[in-house]
């Protein structure tokens, strides 16, 4: 995979299913991206009733907003990943790739970009959560070297959206 960095992000050459290659632009989220991002998350079934995607975006922009990445092919939003680091562990949320672009390496590129940024911050380990029923996502993350930790994920809502 060919990789070019530039001041605001990354360009990665990916091989599309049709046999042609294109450049995937990966950069930090910009305010003008919001509608496209929310649309992508809906298309990828990432939006659930207890998480308002607009509020999630606003919250992320207040804390390490530069770690909220978008991926564009020919200027079209095709991928996102939201990462963060709190000094002990890194976290991945909202990895999304449009259904028609899955299996072409875009998810891997987005994760690589997030991992580079987390590693640059000194992050020693990344955690993420996947619903057990989402076996496709579990298989994808395992292919990237993630393993199931011997832990239980607990959560507590502090704000009701």
């Amino acid at each position: 995979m060919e990789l070019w960095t530039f001041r605001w992000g990354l360009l990665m050459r990916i091989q599309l299913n049709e046999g042609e290659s294109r450049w995937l632009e990966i950069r930090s989220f910009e305010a003008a991206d919001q509608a496209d991002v929310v649309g992508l998350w809906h298309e990828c079934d990432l939006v659930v009733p207890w998480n308002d995607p607009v509020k999630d975006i606003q919250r992320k922009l207040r804390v390490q907003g530069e770690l909220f990445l978008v991926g564009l092919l020919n200027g079209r939003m095709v991928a996102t990943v939201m990462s963060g680091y709190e000094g002990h562990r890194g976290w991945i949320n909202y990895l999304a790739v449009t259904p028609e672009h899955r299996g072409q390496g875009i998810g891997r590129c987005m994760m690589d970009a997030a991992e580079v940024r987390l590693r640059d911050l000194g992050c020693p380990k990344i955690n993420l959560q996947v619903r057990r029923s989402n076996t496709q996502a579990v298989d994808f993350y395992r292919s990237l070297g993630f393993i199931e930790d011997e832990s239980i994920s607990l959560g507590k809502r502090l704000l009701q959206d």
Side-chain angles (χ1 to χ4, degrees):
M1 181 171 304
E2 198 172 343
L3 169 69
W4 291 79
T5 60
F6 59 100
R7 184 175 174 191
W8 301 280
L10 299 168
L11 287 175
M12 295 181 161
R13 186 181 298 276
I14 60 165
Q15 192 70 32
L16 300 179
N17 286 337
E18 307 90 46
E20 68 176 288
S21 65
R22 290 199 190 146
W23 288 98
L24 174 69
E25 177 188 354
I26 300 174
R27 61 163 172 76
S28 293
F29 173 89
E30 298 171 357
D33 298 327
Q34 182 168 298
D36 290 336
V37 167
V38 172
L40 172 65
W41 291 350
H42 277 286
E43 183 180 1
C44 295
D45 294 323
L46 293 181
V47 178
V48 292
W50 53 90
N51 288 108
D52 179 324
V54 173
K55 287 181 181 177
D56 284 350
I57 289 170
Q58 293 167 353
R59 289 174 180 138
K60 179 60 192 164
L61 295 178
R62 287 192 298 266
V63 181
Q64 297 177 321
E66 71 281 2
L67 297 180
F68 181 12
L69 305 177
V70 297
L72 303 124
L73 275 178
N74 295 332
R76 179 176 170 237
M77 181 77 54
V78 297
T80 65
V81 66
M82 190 184 281
S83 61
Y85 177 53
E86 32 74 347
H88 182 64
R89 295 285 185 258
W91 285 90
I92 299 293
N93 294 290
Y94 283 112
L95 176 66
V97 176
T98 56
E100 75 251 31
H101 290 100
R102 291 179 185 164
Q104 299 173 8
I106 293 173
R108 180 177 295 273
C109 288
M110 297 300 291
M111 287 296 293
D112 287 348
E115 287 182 23
V116 165
R117 284 162 175 78
L118 291 169
R119 194 175 296 111
D120 286 349
L121 292 172
C123 178
K125 182 182 181 210
I126 299 172
N127 289 346
L128 53 84
Q129 296 175 320
V130 180
R131 292 180 192 95
R132 285 198 189 280
S133 61
N134 192 348
T135 57
Q136 185 179 14
V138 171
D139 291 343
F140 169 75
Y141 287 117
R142 283 188 174 139
S143 78
L144 297 181
F146 284 81
I147 59 171
E148 189 171 343
D149 285 336
E150 290 296 321
S151 58
I152 298 171
S153 178
L154 301 172
K156 178 181 177 181
R157 289 285 310 166
L158 298 177
L159 299 172
Q160 300 300 318
D161 286 339

